[in-house]
Amino acid sequence: MADTQVLIVGAGPVGLTLAVDLGKRGIRCTLIEQKEAPAFLPKMERCNARTMELYRRMGISERVRAAGLPRTAPMDVFIVLSLVEPPLWRLPFPSVAEAETEIAASTDASMPLEPYQLISQYTLEPLLKSIAEELPCVAVRYGHELTAFTDNGHSVTGHIRRLDGVTLDITADYLVACDGGGSGVRRQLDIRLQGDGNLLQFRQALYHCPDLYDRIPIGNGRHYHVADAQSSFLITQDSTKHFTLHSILDSDEEMDRKLEEVVAMPLRYERLSCAPWKQNLLIADSYGRGRVFLAGDAVHLVIPTGGLGMNTGVGDAVDLGWKLAATLKGWGGPSLLASYEIERRQIGDRNVAASRFAATGRRKWRAMYRPNIRDATQTGEETRRNLIAVAEVEQRKSNEMIGAELGYRYVGSPLIADEPDGPPHEFMTYVPSTWPGTRLPHVWLKDHTAVQDRIGYGDHYTLLRLDGRSDAAGLDKAFATLRAPFRLLPLDDAHARGIHGHDMLLLRPDMHIAWRGNTAPPDAVKLARMATGY
Ligand SMILES: Cc1cc2nc3c(=O)[nH]c(=O)nc-3n(C[C@H](O)[C@H](O)[C@H](O)COP(=O)(O)OP(=O)(O)OC[C@H]3O[C@@H](n4cnc5c(N)ncnc54)[C@H](O)[C@@H]3O)c2cc1C
């Protein structure tokens, strides 16, 4: 017998999210991480709206918000010469509290149920670790490095070296590698990355600046892009006491000088870390083999512009979580796990393209920089005007990719009753749709509960009957035959029916739409078999 059902390698945000999801589904899993403890190193800082919806389903969104940037803190994006000069441009974004008010008043399903949340990766990881450790079926083991694995056909064995030098094996039904961009598991499987690697190298420094946030005369925001020759930008971290500076510079000392130049006021600061990072736009040829799956940065590497790195990985974890659980609980058919690569690789591919789109936009306005940008001359004025004219179109691409975040759809999946054609995939606009394969749009019901909340979190499929009838259209029996959990949710709500456009929606456990119709499915057994992977 295996030691555990799922061995997860890597406690970055993706591995930790998968551990929490599997743990909440009652699957025994062991999460191993080579580091001794979570590191205080900056990387991502924004959970997008979709990730927050997924965390809401898992019952952890409020804990993420409580640990992150305060609800009322502004999320504006600036283009500046320094923090003390009038900004060249300010792109306003609602705080979480303001966005929640907008969402509460929205009626057309165009908004997510949850807004974004700024939370630094070094805050999110320890939080997710503590949540995973609360779950009785999750074992979290730091200081454990996977050195290799053996796929035994009926199980997979991870070969592990502990920090104290002791070696051990853990055998699992499945192994999921969430081991980041340098994934050793991906290399052992000889899976190649395709695309553009090492496009540009930045340095990133993390500074503790305890009194800067309250003294910024131009106002608080989350990103301050500096119109300079080094493509610098300053990011507010969740505590508001820490900032990261990114710049194309060669040394730590130059980073300190750049910080002083950008802040342009007397400043108390301490540099906590500084390291180079590279921009990549890469996707793996395959998302796994046999009993081994890959997720997160192990299979897609994007430019942080647009915030689609960790957020795409969280989507991978959620897609894989319910499919592993269903297979291990015995009701998932053979196509269920096979569909993981089909569904998620196309999203990885799209999000790499979305990241390229956003990064190209940012490069366009940065290309308008000229050394005379500060000059009180006509040519200086022209430089500023030209740069802002381009930024007004191009910078938005980084900050307004709601279509990429919410509008993705699983095309050609064996689990989805696809319909021909389908809406185009847009990066910057989200058009709510119930086209099979999409995420269920968020709609408020008459009593102001959200349809998504009424469905709840678990392993069950749901037939949403928007005509209010309590007839399961034969699907209850069909799912029961397969021993797959199924619930009927009749809703007598004309507004929701109008938005969703159909009387019946069959939802998978991840709330993606498997089928829609106005009359009972012609063959309920066939539909249930397809949705469960047979
Ligand atoms: C500057 C910057 C800003 C970013 N901003 C954003 C943002 O705002 N939003 C966003 O979505 N993304 C952002 N990203 C990207 C984001 O940080 C990554 O996409 C994310 O960290 C990927 O998570 P992961 O869990 O897949 O991998 P990682 O975070 O890389 O975690 C992998 C883990 O696996 C462990 N590991 C590796 N090998 C082994 C082994 N053999 N045995 C055991 N453990 C192992 C590692 O120690 C590590 O802890 C940013 C990235 C950078 C560099």
Side-chain angles (χ1 to χ4, degrees):
M1 188 183 142
D3 303 313
T4 187
Q5 291 180 290
V6 182
L7 177 62
I8 304 169
V9 183
V14 176
L16 285 159
T17 299
L18 180 62
V20 172
D21 185 62
L22 288 174
K24 285 186 176 259
R25 293 179 188 282
I27 298 298
R28 282 185 303 116
C29 56
T30 300
L31 171 62
I32 58 165
E33 164 58 48
Q34 64 188 4
K35 293 194 296 270
E36 193 171 14
F40 196 75
L41 287 172
K43 272 173 99 178
M44 59 71 58
E45 94 283 350
R46 191 186 65 119
C47 290
N48 71 23
R50 181 60 180 147
T51 294
M52 291 307 294
E53 280 188 347
L54 295 168
Y55 284 161
R56 179 186 180 113
R57 292 203 76 206
M58 292 161 77
I60 64 172
S61 55
E62 276 310 312
R63 291 175 72 175
V64 173
R65 292 207 189 280
L69 185 76
R71 257 190 164 86
T72 53
M75 290 285 284
D76 296 0
V77 171
F78 293 80
I79 296 180
V80 299
L81 295 171
S82 76
L83 297 189
V84 299
E85 292 163 86
L88 297 177
W89 194 52
R90 178 179 191 153
L91 186 55
F93 286 102
S95 66
V96 167
E98 288 163 345
E100 284 174 332
T101 306
E102 283 177 30
I103 290 170
S106 69
T107 54
D108 62 358
S110 65
M111 298 195 82
L113 175 54
E114 288 278 344
Y116 42 52
Q117 175 64 48
L118 195 153
I119 179 166
S120 307
Q121 188 154 335
Y122 56 69
T123 308
L124 183 62
E125 285 183 10
L127 173 68
L128 292 175
K129 173 177 180 279
S130 66
I131 294 171
E133 284 168 342
E134 288 163 16
L135 297 165
C137 46
V138 180
V140 181
R141 304 273 178 266
Y142 277 65
H144 285 57
E145 181 197 4
L146 185 91
T147 51
F149 66 88
T150 307
D151 191 335
N152 314 306
H154 55 282
S155 65
V156 55
T157 302
H159 310 297
I160 293 159
R161 183 171 51 224
R162 287 196 332 214
L163 272 180
D164 60 9
V166 171
T167 57
L168 66 147
D169 285 350
I170 296 181
T171 297
D173 294 304
Y174 295 98
L175 183 150
V176 185
C178 307
D179 50 351
S183 174
V185 173
R186 187 189 66 227
R187 276 184 275 119
Q188 188 181 332
L189 288 172
D190 200 21
I191 293 174
R192 304 287 160 85
L193 292 172
Q194 281 179 28
D196 299 315
N198 203 359
L199 288 161
L200 199 57
Q201 180 164 310
F202 278 80
R203 279 184 106 66
Q204 173 180 228
L206 173 65
Y207 292 101
H208 183 223
C209 312
D211 55 4
L212 173 60
Y213 189 75
D214 295 330
R215 293 167 54 225
I216 300 176
I218 58 171
N220 290 132
R222 83 182 173 102
H223 286 176
Y224 299 89
H225 296 282
V226 186
D228 67 2
Q230 296 81 30
S231 298
S232 309
F233 52 102
L234 189 69
I235 298 184
T236 308
Q237 298 294 323
D238 54 10
S239 68
T240 71
K241 309 280 183 232
H242 296 87
F243 292 81
T244 49
L245 178 68
H246 299 253
S247 202
I248 303 175
L249 287 170
D250 293 327
S251 71
D252 297 4
E253 291 67 33
E254 286 173 288
M255 293 295 286
D256 294 352
R257 299 294 81 76
K258 179 57 83 176
L259 177 75
E260 291 163 9
E261 179 190 314
V262 173
V263 171
M265 304 179 272
L267 178 69
R268 216 154 44 92
Y269 72 87
E270 184 188 358
R271 173 166 29 86
L272 302 179
S273 64
C274 192
W277 65 272
K278 290 175 190 159
Q279 292 191 340
N280 297 297
L281 287 167
L282 296 165
I283 182 141
D285 287 340
S286 164
Y287 274 32
R289 195 164 300 143
R291 294 188 162 264
V292 178
F293 297 92
L294 299 151
D297 273 22
V299 275
H300 41 74
L301 285 163
V302 298
I303 298 173
T305 316
L308 290 170
M310 178 219 60
N311 287 301
T312 307
V314 167
D316 298 341
V318 167
D319 188 80
L320 195 50
W322 73 270
K323 292 174 180 174
L324 282 168
T327 307
L328 288 162
K329 288 177 186 180
W331 56 262
S335 318
L336 211 52
L337 284 173
S339 73
Y340 166 66
E341 173 169 321
I342 297 167
E343 294 187 347
R344 291 307 302 176
R345 190 175 181 280
Q346 59 181 289
I347 306 304
D349 209 21
R350 278 185 197 151
N351 287 353
V352 168
S355 172
R356 186 188 299 277
F357 167 79
T360 306
R362 189 173 291 174
R363 271 202 295 277
K364 281 187 190 159
W365 72 254
R366 286 203 172 277
M368 305 307 289
Y369 166 81
R370 302 283 180 278
N372 67 1
I373 194 152
R374 264 206 172 82
D375 292 358
T377 59
Q378 198 186 338
T379 50
E381 173 58 28
E382 268 168 32
T383 297
R384 292 190 288 277
R385 215 179 30 243
N386 292 343
L387 184 141
I388 293 315
V390 178
E392 275 175 359
V393 177
E394 300 296 338
Q395 176 57 33
R396 288 180 192 280
K397 294 178 178 172
S398 298
N399 302 111
E400 298 178 9
M401 289 216 284
I402 191 75
E405 293 177 7
L406 298 183
Y408 60 94
R409 177 165 64 91
Y410 298 141
V411 181
S413 166
L415 311 183
I416 305 279
D418 219 344
E419 297 174 13
D421 302 326
H425 187 82
E426 307 279 358
F427 295 148
M428 292 185 67
T429 44
Y430 169 64
V431 180
S433 167
T434 54
W435 205 277
T438 52
R439 136 198 180 277
L440 181 73
H442 156 56
V443 176
W444 296 116
L445 297 170
K446 282 181 286 198
D447 62 0
H448 210 69
T449 56
V451 181
Q452 292 189 13
D453 288 342
R454 294 284 288 275
I455 290 157
Y457 173 66
D459 294 330
H460 55 279
Y461 291 77
T462 305
L463 181 68
L464 204 57
R465 282 216 71 148
L466 293 147
D467 54 3
R469 292 176 54 187
S470 52
D471 168 2
L475 284 165
D476 47 352
K477 291 192 189 69
F479 278 98
T481 308
L482 296 162
R483 292 182 298 113
F486 170 84
R487 286 186 199 163
L488 171 69
L489 180 60
L491 293 175
D492 183 14
D493 194 300
H495 175 64
R497 166 65 183 81
I499 295 266
H500 289 314
H502 287 78
D503 286 341
M504 283 178 266
L505 300 177
L506 177 64
L507 305 170
R508 319 188 308 184
D510 61 352
M511 247 196 292
H512 278 256
I513 295 159
W515 168 85
R516 63 181 180 176
N518 291 320
T519 53
D523 189 337
V525 173
K526 192 171 163 199
L527 178 58
R529 288 182 66 81
M530 182 202 69
T532 52
Y534 285 97

